[in-house]
Structure formats: structure tokens, C-alpha cells
Amino acid sequence: MNAYEEYMKAIVQPMRQELVDAGFTELTTEDEVHEFMATTKGITLVVINSVCGCAAGSARPAVREAIKEIKPDNLVTVFAGQDREATAAMRSYFEEVPPSSPSIAILRDGQLEYFIPREQIEGYPVEQIRDHIVGVLKQACAK
């Protein structure tokens, strides 16, 4: 690992830990993603994490608050720009939507049910994003 990679790893660790501490499983390799997706059942909330300000100020806080209200069966995250292979592998399961980070995907038995792209995160208040996530999860979990 070169000096830049080492530096970035140290910088993003708190950003990773924020979701792990909230109960998310971090998938860091392509194999971990494929293994998870091959066996997942129920409703999964996927966060494609990012170093950007809208991830820190909006996406991660909104997700953490949303899962206090309604918790799906599975919580997983990949980190765009850091774990490139894992992120590409996760995105391969919902190729019908353009790559976006941060973003949030709601899956049912591994199939995309709903997607919240960066455009619906950046510039929106945390409460509005949280309510959006909660509404989608309540619908998905009620089916």
C-alpha cells in the first residue's frame, strides 16, 4: 500500500465506522458482496458510502435515524472510491440505475426494489431523507 492509500484509509475509517457502529455489515471485497447477495433473504438496506460532504452531513445521519424507526432484515454497506471492486460488484445487482454515491438501495431477496440516488440526498435536510427512507422501508416491509 502506498502512502496515499495509507493516508486515505486512515481518513475514511471514521466514515466507515459510523455505519458499522449503527449495525451495518461492511462488505469490502467483491467476493463478500457476491456471497452476501447469493444468500440474502428479506429486506436489505444498502448504503453506498462516500467521503463527500453529503454522505457525512446527510446520508449517514439520515440512515442511522431511519433504522431506529424501522429496521430491515439486513444492513450492508460498500464504500465507493475506496473498495472499488466491492462497490462495482454491488452496483452490478442494480445496473438499471446509474452509479451514484452516496446512495441508498432497498432490496427484497437481493432484487432492487427502490433506489435513492445522490440527487435525492445532496442538499436535502437529514429529516427529509430519513422520512423518505422510513416511508420506503415501511412499504417494503409491509409486503
Side-chain angles (χ1 to χ4, degrees):
M1 189 176 299
N2 67 35
Y4 173 78
E5 290 169 337
E6 197 64 40
Y7 173 78
M8 287 307 297
K9 183 178 178 186
I11 292 294
V12 302
Q13 187 54 42
M15 299 172 203
R16 293 175 181 277
Q17 200 61 42
E18 193 174 344
L19 291 176
V20 170
D21 288 348
F24 282 78
T25 299
E26 190 174 35
L27 305 175
T28 60
T29 68
E30 182 178 0
D31 288 344
E32 287 176 349
V33 170
H34 292 311
E35 184 178 316
F36 173 80
M37 293 300 285
T39 60
T40 188
K41 296 288 183 227
I43 304 300
T44 300
L45 177 66
V46 178
V47 175
I48 298 180
N49 203 353
S50 174
V51 298
C52 70
C54 62
S58 301
R60 291 192 301 268
V63 166
R64 287 193 332 269
E65 291 301 312
I67 63 173
K68 289 178 185 174
E69 288 189 46
I70 182 162
K71 194 167 184 181
D73 302 307
N74 308 291
L75 301 169
V76 297
T77 182
V78 294
F79 208 111
Q82 300 300 307
D83 301 321
R84 287 178 173 83
E85 293 81 14
T87 303
M90 182 57 76
R91 286 178 172 154
S92 76
Y93 289 95
F94 36 89
E95 290 181 321
E96 62 271 28
V97 296
S100 178
S101 59
S103 58
I104 300 159
I106 311 295
L107 311 177
R108 175 184 300 282
D109 298 332
Q111 300 297 310
L112 182 66
E113 191 144 306
Y114 196 85
F115 189 79
I116 302 172
R118 178 187 181 117
E119 293 77 28
Q120 293 178 16
I121 295 170
E122 187 175 28
Y124 289 90
V126 169
E127 298 77 18
Q128 188 174 350
I129 302 162
R130 177 204 61 217
D131 292 347
H132 188 175
I133 297 165
V134 167
V136 172
L137 285 174
K138 283 183 178 177
Q139 266 191 326
C141 291
K143 290 183 181 177

